[in-house]
Amino acid sequence: GAVVSQHPSWVICKSGTSVKIECRSLDFQATTMFWYRQFPKQSLMLMATSNEGSKATYEQGVEKDKFLINHASLTLSTLTVTSAHPEDSSFYICSARVPGQANTEAFFGQGTRLTVV
Amino acid sequence: AQSVTQLGSHVSVSEGALVLLRCNYSSSVPPYLFWYVQYPNQGLQLLLKYTTGATLVKGINGFEAEFKKSETSFHLTKPSAHMSDAAEYFCAVSRTGTASKLTFGTGTRLQVTL
C-alpha cells in the first residue's frame, strides 16, 4: 500500500513557541491530505483538509490562524501550531488518499505526539 | 451529514474467544465504511472496507465485517481472538468520492486476556 510519513514522531516545546509537523506521501502524489487531532482515549477529529496549491479548508471550531496548513507540493503538507499552549498538547495524525482511485482507502501517517510545557 | 456510533468503549475477551465490535452509522447517501486499528502511539491501519458489492467483507488478520443496510450496521468480528489483537479499533464512514473525509466513531479498546 501507499506510504504516508509524518515527522517528527514526537516533539516537546515551550509554551508560546511554534511547532511544524510534516506529512509526506512517499510513493504517490496527494492533491488532498487530511489533518486529524486525537485527544487521549478519544477518537480522531478532523481539523482541516489540505489542498495542494490552494487554501486549506478548516472544520468548524478550528482556528485557522493557530493551526497553519501549507500544502506546497504534491507530496508534502505541513501543519504549524503557532504560539502553542499546553491545551494544544495532543496526538496529530495526517492522512492522504491516492488520487484518481475511487473507493480507495486513506493512508495514515504514524502520528505526532505534541507536548507543550 | 454522517455519523458513526460504536457501542462499547471497552471490550474484553479471552484469547480464542469470538470478537464482536459494534458499529452503527448514519448517512444520507450510500456510505463507504471502514474499520481501522490503532496500536499505542501509532497511526491507523486499515483492517477492511466496504464500498460496493458483497456485503460480507474480509480483511487482514482474520477480521471480517458485514454491511447490513436495513440495520445501518457494520459490525467487526473475528472468530478467535489473539493476544496481538489488543488495540483500539475505529469504525469510520465517508461519502463516495476520491477525496472524501472520514468521520470516525469514538473507538473501542479491545482487551484480550489469557
Side-chain angles (χ1 to χ4, degrees):
Chain A
V3 179
V4 174
S5 177
Q6 266 183 259
H7 178 81
S9 298
W10 59 270
V11 57
I12 301 173
C13 71
K14 291 184 177 181
S15 187
T17 62
S18 295
V19 174
K20 179 184 287 187
I21 302 170
E22 294 185 346
C23 179
R24 294 181 184 272
S25 56
L26 298 186
D27 51 2
F28 67 101
Q29 294 182 329
T31 53
T32 303
M33 291 184 175
F34 303 91
W35 286 97
Y36 294 86
R37 181 175 181 177
Q38 185 180 31
F39 290 100
K41 300 182 180 181
Q42 294 188 31
S43 187
L44 286 77
M45 300 300 295
L46 180 67
M47 299 175 65
T49 302
S50 173
N51 304 298
E52 188 270 334
S54 64
K55 292 182 179 180
T57 303
Y58 289 82
E59 295 299 302
Q60 189 173 9
V62 177
E63 299 178 61
K64 60 181 180 182
D65 294 331
K66 180 168 186 62
F67 298 100
L68 300 179
I69 292 174
N70 184 279
H71 195 151
S73 77
L74 289 171
T75 59
L76 174 65
S77 175
T78 61
L79 168 67
T80 301
V81 182
T82 62
S83 187
H85 290 282
E87 56 265 30
D88 298 324
S89 298
S90 191
F91 195 57
Y92 294 87
I93 307 177
C94 71
S95 75
R97 291 178 183 249
V98 179
Q101 293 185 11
N103 311 333
T104 188
E105 68 184 268
F107 296 94
F108 286 81
Q110 70 270 39
T112 299
R113 182 161 299 285
L114 169 64
T115 302
V116 184
V117 298
Chain B
Q2 299 171 295
S3 65
V4 175
T5 301
Q6 289 184 244
L7 296 176
S9 59
H10 183 240
V11 171
S12 182
V13 300
S14 301
E15 189 174 35
L18 171 71
V19 175
L20 170 61
L21 304 182
R22 299 178 185 274
C23 173
N24 288 88
Y25 70 91
S26 173
S27 178
S28 58
V29 298
Y32 288 3
L33 295 159
F34 307 81
W35 274 101
Y36 285 88
V37 61
Q38 183 183 34
Y39 296 98
N41 293 313
Q42 293 188 30
L44 276 68
Q45 180 183 10
L46 181 70
L47 283 176
L48 49 79
K49 64 180 178 180
Y50 168 80
T51 54
T52 58
T55 56
L56 181 61
V57 180
K58 295 185 183 298
I60 63 172
N61 301 339
F63 285 94
E64 62 181 39
E66 186 172 9
F67 170 60
K68 292 187 176 181
K69 184 178 179 180
S70 61
E71 299 178 8
T72 60
S73 68
F74 191 57
H75 302 330
L76 181 70
T77 61
K78 181 174 180 177
S80 177
H82 191 272
M83 295 295 288
S84 61
D85 293 327
E88 189 84 21
Y89 292 81
F90 291 97
C91 181
V93 62
S94 76
R95 297 169 60 93
T96 57
T98 58
S100 298
K101 58 189 181 185
L102 292 166
T103 299
F104 286 89
T106 50
T108 297
R109 180 165 297 279
L110 176 64
Q111 180 182 16
V112 182
T113 59
L114 290 173

